[in-house]
Amino acid sequence: MWDRFLRACRREPVDVTPVWFMRQAGRYMAEYRAIREKYKLLEICRTPELAVEVTLQPVRALGVDAAILFADILLPIEPMGVAFDFAAGEGPVIERPVTDAAAVDRLRLFDPEEGLGHVLAAVRSLRAELDNKTPLIGFAGAPFTLASYLIEGGKSSNYAETKRLMYNEPKVWNALLEKLAEVVRRYLVAQIAAGAHAVQLFDSWVGQLAPNDYAAYVQPHVRHILSGLGESGVPVIHFGTGTATLLELQRDAGGSVLGVDWRVPLDQARARLGNGVAVQGNLDPLLLQAPRELLAARVDEVLERAGKLPGHIFNLGHGILPETSPDAVKFVVDRVHANSSR
Ligand code: CP3
């Protein structure tokens, strides 16, 4: 069943539970490391042929039920006017962080075909390569998560600069998130027009916020993105981590599928969220580095807690880590398919 991932997103019956992984293309794979020896991460992202090849690597090796476009959530900040690079071992480095009203004013809204045409070209050729045999997921970063990189200048442990701006300069904060939300909305619309079968919004770090602050400072901007996308008819996955106390607010902001991380058992998540939304998750990525019997037991437990009602997509609670063995990943794919037949 080529479309079991899309069917599960729409809460329709499936033969077996669909499974794919965040960061299913990446350093844990020898095939990816071979390409990375020759090209930098941003070169891969900016060259459609390379992005297509890397996207297809895990589809061939693992038999997953969806492909995810190889790109990065930070790509749109460059056409907005913010230069950045990936420093070895450090993650993203933003040259001049965005910390005041003048810097927010300078940020540009751009036409995705002009600013990120190479990504849309990759989407188009992936649609042709995948030939309706595997659905393609497009994606973008959510405003809070993108803002945190713009403000902090890179990764952060406590998001102090981000929260300082949010609490002390709410006008600047809202202007920044409004711009990011509009850029992301246009970018996702363009990915869907180019052929993405589904899209995922990554709000990876929003679990840093208390529910009342999420509702006040973030939810309206996420809603701006997600409310319009529903009309496209493609499934929209709304993802975050550390979101145990935010799930209902995230659901209310929009999306047909909610990402749930390993801190919340899926039966509890589904009871809280009701039947109007599908769920995606939620194995702890480190279980892929645990003994095989423990991994097997925890895979089965995720399936059991998800229950037999339609609307579960198996995934990790966050991305695959570089130290993971590809065999463990393949083991999970096969076990999910073998142990979830309806
Ligand atoms: O999931 C996939 O297979 C698709 C590709 C993908 C990448 N980044 C490629 C990548 C996706 C979906 C992302 C999203 C992304 N990028 C997020 C949200 C998802 C999440 O993990 O929460 C974030 C926060 C980023 C920003 C980013 N990109 C960081 C913080 C880093 C460095 C982290 C690290 O592990 O070194 C990256 C680099 C990056 N983006 C890699 C990959 C495969 C690392 C591999 C490399 O350097 O070659």
Side-chain angles (χ1 to χ4, degrees):
M1 192 181 266
W2 84 275
D3 63 344
R4 61 169 75 98
F5 161 74
L6 297 170
R7 294 176 60 93
C9 289
R10 298 191 295 252
R11 289 170 285 117
E12 294 166 5
V14 286
D15 53 348
V16 297
T17 300
V19 49
W20 70 279
F21 302 93
M22 290 175 277
R23 290 273 165 92
Q24 63 189 15
R27 287 163 293 187
Y28 80 102
M29 286 186 96
E31 301 93 307
Y32 177 81
R33 293 194 300 271
I35 291 196
R36 271 290 269 125
E37 265 170 35
K38 289 189 247 159
Y39 306 97
K40 298 206 278 189
L41 175 59
L42 285 173
E43 286 176 306
I44 301 174
C45 293
R46 286 171 183 152
T47 312
E49 298 72 36
L50 294 173
V52 167
E53 169 57 22
V54 171
T55 301
L56 295 175
Q57 286 176 343
V59 176
R60 293 189 202 111
L62 300 171
V64 283
D65 295 300
I68 180 160
L69 168 70
F70 192 83
D72 196 88
I73 62 164
L74 294 176
L75 297 183
I77 74 172
E78 180 114 87
M80 289 183 86
V82 179
F84 77 100
D85 206 348
F86 287 102
E90 274 180 64
V93 180
I94 279 85
E95 246 167 57
R96 292 207 296 157
V98 174
T99 53
D100 58 19
V104 173
D105 277 344
R106 283 195 296 270
L107 294 175
R108 290 190 293 268
L109 301 179
F110 62 91
D111 173 357
E113 288 289 353
E114 276 167 31
L116 292 170
H118 53 87
V119 177
L120 301 171
V123 171
R124 284 189 201 93
S125 57
L126 277 166
R127 253 310 271 261
E129 291 275 343
L130 292 164
D131 189 25
N132 277 357
K133 291 192 176 77
T134 309
L136 175 65
I137 305 171
F139 71 90
F144 177 87
T145 295
L146 290 175
S148 76
Y149 285 106
L150 288 177
I151 296 164
E152 309 277 342
K155 67 174 184 218
S156 171
S157 54
N158 57 6
Y159 298 84
E161 299 296 338
T162 306
K163 292 181 183 183
R164 245 175 237 134
L165 187 79
M166 188 176 91
Y167 290 132
N168 292 300
E169 309 274 359
K171 284 212 177 82
V172 178
W173 172 263
N174 276 319
L176 172 58
L177 265 71
E178 257 169 44
K179 279 193 170 171
L180 288 169
E182 183 54 15
V183 160
V184 166
R185 192 190 65 76
R186 292 182 192 179
Y187 183 37
L188 289 175
V189 166
Q191 290 182 42
I192 293 167
H197 291 98
V199 292
Q200 175 157 325
L201 187 68
F202 282 91
D203 214 349
S204 306
W205 312 133
V206 79
Q208 287 293 326
L209 296 181
N212 56 351
D213 286 331
Y214 178 82
Y217 295 103
V218 175
Q219 194 190 35
H221 304 290
V222 175
R223 191 174 277 135
H224 174 76
I225 300 168
L226 297 181
S227 59
L229 287 182
E231 289 154 31
S232 68
V234 311
V236 178
I237 307 166
H238 186 179
F239 166 80
T241 68
T243 49
T245 61
L246 302 180
L247 292 177
E248 290 88 348
L249 291 166
Q250 289 183 296
R251 173 200 60 197
D252 295 346
S256 34
V257 182
L258 202 60
V260 178
D261 82 7
W262 60 92
R263 298 163 180 95
V264 183
L266 276 189
D267 50 336
Q268 293 177 22
R270 296 195 86 169
R272 282 169 54 190
L273 293 168
N275 291 332
V277 71
V279 292
Q280 174 173 282
N282 72 342
L283 200 70
D284 187 324
L286 263 307
L287 278 164
L288 290 168
Q289 297 176 45
R292 206 44 68 85
E293 313 82 78
L294 181 60
L295 173 60
R298 292 300 168 80
V299 168
D300 294 350
E301 188 181 336
V302 168
L303 291 171
E304 208 162 291
R305 287 187 184 273
K308 290 280 174 193
L309 277 182
H312 174 226
I313 297 108
F314 194 103
N315 205 313
L316 307 177
H318 205 168
I320 296 180
L321 295 163
E323 302 80 7
T324 304
S325 139
D327 290 344
V329 183
K330 177 75 179 131
F331 174 82
V332 171
V333 173
D334 293 342
R335 191 160 184 108
V336 169
H337 287 159
N339 289 1
S340 64
S341 63
R342 308 292 205 278

